[in-house]
Amino acid sequence: MKKIVKNNLCVALCALTALSVCACSTVQSESAFDSPRPWHDDIKIALDGSYEKLDYAVAIYDTTGGVDDDKRVKIADGSMTFTLSEPVYGDFTTLDMSFSVTYSADAPSPDAGLTDTITSRVLFSTISLAAKEMQKTVSLADRDGTDNLSYELTADYFGSHEATIKFTARDGETRKLALSEDTCHDNEMIFMLARAQALAAEGSTMFRAVNIFDSFANGKLTEYTMVAANASDLVAVDIGDWVKDFGVEPVTDEQTGETTYPVSCYNTSIGINAERHGPPYVVNYAEKPFVRGEKSHAKLPIRIGYSQYENSRAFRYTEYTLTACSFDRA
């Protein structure tokens, strides 16, 4: 059980940020990024700069009895929000992420009844997407039989070229690590980085990412080449009728007369391009833009899924489903 808990916590540490890119290496070329970016508003209609808020419902399932819907058992509920703010005038865009999940009282020990939270912020170049600064706080509840890996993490890519990690549950144990002076993308950006490249059926793109947490674990700057590979067929994802306010067309069943608003999506697998790469994230990106008023945002991540394995057998599945979005600042 202790080993399983450690695996679960590792996913909580990195599965949200979302899931690593860096121009620190020139071994493999990155695919081109979209211009304009898929979240970019026309400055003429966005006088305060482009803005995007994506809210998700989080569900964690125990899949030891099977991965099918009728066999898996939900053991936790939570929420996650991505907030992206791009200025009209200024060099840097901000991406904030907040996540919280609470395990049910009958979840497997030692998770039962516990709550974990994660927040992060990345400041990156609006033009190149190179990360300038990153901050992350992981707050995990104490669990029997395992070390508490709660930590605070910072990285300064443009200034001191130094990262710092502070293990807040270990009497503030602090370490520092030198960063490359080359421009880098950060692991917290990977869903947006994959989104900002061309998505097409049976197509794939490649980008690189620095994972600061793994860098401290490995004792050196760790960069991963990431591949976003799209399945040959689009998938229809039904997340509720609220999407009709963003231009999603209705579909009526000829036999039952029921009307739904399925979102046509690319089925994209995002993983590390290496022999020992671990399980990928599967992200359903909207095929068509979501449109509200004069603002149009493309390739929204509608659903994100991640499986965990123990001895090659699936034991946990985490799913993030879009529940609301906004392109206007509150």
Side-chain angles (χ1 to χ4, degrees), residues 50-63:
S50 299
Y51 175 87
E52 182 179 273
K53 183 181 179 183
L54 306 176
D55 294 320
Y56 294 83
V58 179
I60 299 179
Y61 298 90
D62 183 327
T63 55

Side-chain angles (χ1 to χ4, degrees), residues 10 19 37 79-80 88 101 109-110 113 119-120 122 143 149 161 192 199 212 232 234 250 264 275 279 295 320:
C10 287
L19 276 183
R37 309 302 183 208
S79 62
M80 178 175 72
V88 175
V101 66
S109 177
T119 61
S120 69
V122 182
R143 286 167 167 82
L149 298 179
H161 301 285
M192 297 300 174
L199 297 179
I212 298 298
S232 58
L234 297 172
S264 178
E275 183 177 349
K295 297 182 179 181
Y320 314 87

